[in-house]
Amino acid sequence: MIKIIVNILFFIVVNAYSDESYRKGTTGSNDFDVLIFTQHWPQTVCFTWKENSPSHKCSLPKEHDEWTIHGIWPTKYHEMGPEFCNRTMPFNSTALKPLEGELQEKWIDIELGRTSYSFWQHEWDKHGTCATVLEQLNTEVKYFRKGLDLITTYDMKNVLATVNIIPGQTYKVTTILNAVARVLGKQGMVTCKKNKNTRMSYIFEIRICFDKKLQLIDCVGVLDYPTDCGNFEDVIYPSSVPQRYSVVQV
C-alpha cells in the first residue's frame, strides 16, 4: 500500500512539473531587444508549400512581383523569441475588418488563401502578443497596421529594383545583402529555400531590424535564424513559381 501511495504522489508531482514546464515554454516573457520585420517572396513560399504536396494550391498577389509580409517578430539578441506572450489577448478577426482588404494583398496566407485568418492569428498569437509592451503595437489593429506601413516604406520590390536586382535572375547572397544595405543604410538578413532534388537555392525572405522606437537598425548581433544559404552562394530570385506549379488567382 505504501508503495502504491508513493507512486501516486510521484505521478502527481511529475505531471505538475510537466504542466508548469509547458506553461513556461508557451507563455514567454515579453522582454526583447529588437523587432525583425520579415517579408517573403511569394513564388518561393508557394514552391516550398507545394514541395510538401503537389496537390497544394497557392494564392499569390495580383501583382506577381510584389513581396508580402510574414510578420513583425520581437526578438532577443542571440535567442529565439519571446513567443506566445499573452493568452489574455486572443486573436479577434472582427477587429481587422477595416484592414482586411490591404491584408489580403500585402499579408496574404499564400498557403490557405486570402480569406483565411489562420496566418494572421498565428502571427498575432506568437509574435503580436509579445510586441504589445510597445505603445505603437499595443493592440491587434496597431500591430497589423504597422506591418502594412512598414512594407509601404521598405517594400523589397522597390529596394532591390533600385539597384537593378529583379526577378528571373540569379545573384550571390552577398549581392542582395549589399543592395539592401546600400539602399536602406542598414544591414539586413536573407534566407533561402533549397529544391530538395536539384539543391538549387531560391530567395525566400529578407529581414530588416528595428529598435523599440521602431527606428531602422542593423541586424548585426541578432540571432541568425536558419538561412539555408551561405553568403557567397548563388540564389535564384524566381519570376514565377519554380517547377511550373499552378497557382490560384482570387
Side-chain angles (χ1 to χ4, degrees):
M1 178 63 68
I2 295 176
K3 183 176 181 180
I4 293 173
I5 294 173
V6 170
N7 286 338
I8 291 173
L9 290 173
F10 177 78
F11 178 82
I12 292 171
V13 171
V14 168
N15 277 275
Y17 176 81
S18 297
D19 288 344
E20 180 63 21
S21 296
Y22 172 78
R23 285 193 291 271
K24 287 182 178 178
T26 58
T27 306
S29 164
N30 55 12
D31 181 38
F32 61 89
D33 299 307
V34 299
L35 295 157
I36 300 176
F37 178 57
T38 300
Q39 299 174 55
H40 51 202
W41 183 236
Q43 283 75 3
T44 306
V45 177
C46 180
F47 154 69
T48 303
W49 172 234
K50 294 184 71 63
E51 264 204 324
N52 294 327
S53 173
S55 65
H56 285 161
K57 303 296 182 182
C58 302
S59 183
L60 299 182
K62 292 175 182 176
E63 299 295 330
H64 280 194
D65 59 350
E66 296 289 347
W67 287 71
T68 58
I69 302 167
H70 189 164
I72 305 172
W73 304 339
T75 304
K76 292 182 180 181
Y77 286 121
H78 312 300
E79 293 184 33
M80 296 284 282
E83 298 175 347
F84 301 103
C85 294
N86 192 341
R87 292 176 179 168
T88 68
M89 301 182 72
F91 178 76
N92 177 11
S93 60
T94 303
L96 295 185
K97 287 296 183 182
L99 305 179
E100 192 169 311
E102 291 178 86
L103 292 171
Q104 287 174 344
E105 278 303 309
K106 297 295 186 180
W107 204 323
I108 303 174
D109 189 339
I110 294 167
E111 298 175 356
L112 299 180
R114 285 178 172 79
T115 59
S116 169
Y117 283 85
S118 60
F119 183 35
W120 302 335
Q121 179 173 353
H122 172 76
E123 290 302 305
W124 171 251
D125 290 345
K126 185 175 182 179
H127 304 291
T129 59
C130 301
T132 56
V133 293
L134 303 182
E135 183 179 354
Q136 307 98 308
L137 302 172
N138 64 5
T139 69
E140 185 178 317
V141 171
K142 286 183 180 180
Y143 176 79
F144 285 95
R145 178 73 264 170
K146 179 54 67 174
L148 294 170
D149 291 344
L150 289 176
I151 200 170
T152 297
T153 304
Y154 301 103
D155 184 353
M156 283 302 146
K157 168 190 173 181
N158 298 327
V159 170
L160 297 180
T162 299
V163 286
N164 296 314
I165 294 179
I166 57 174
Q169 304 296 322
T170 298
Y171 301 93
K172 298 289 185 186
V173 173
T174 49
T175 300
I176 297 172
L177 287 169
N178 290 339
V180 172
R182 176 181 171 186
V183 175
L184 299 184
K186 302 295 180 182
Q187 188 69 46
M189 297 183 286
V190 172
T191 73
C192 310
K193 291 293 183 181
K194 290 184 184 292
N195 181 309
K196 61 185 178 183
N197 296 316
T198 66
R199 305 305 297 166
M200 296 174 66
S201 289
Y202 297 88
I203 191 167
F204 182 62
E205 292 181 338
I206 295 180
R207 300 164 180 170
I208 55 178
C209 297
F210 295 84
D211 63 21
K212 289 185 175 182
K213 295 181 180 179
L214 291 173
Q215 298 298 308
L216 187 66
I217 60 174
D218 288 314
C219 289
V220 176
V222 177
L223 172 70
D224 192 5
Y225 284 76
T227 64
D228 211 14
C229 55
N231 283 352
F232 297 98
E233 186 174 345
D234 288 330
V235 60
I236 300 169
Y237 185 7
S239 57
S240 59
V241 179
Q243 298 186 10
R244 299 181 180 178
Y245 288 137
S246 62
V247 299
V248 176
Q249 290 300 320
V250 180

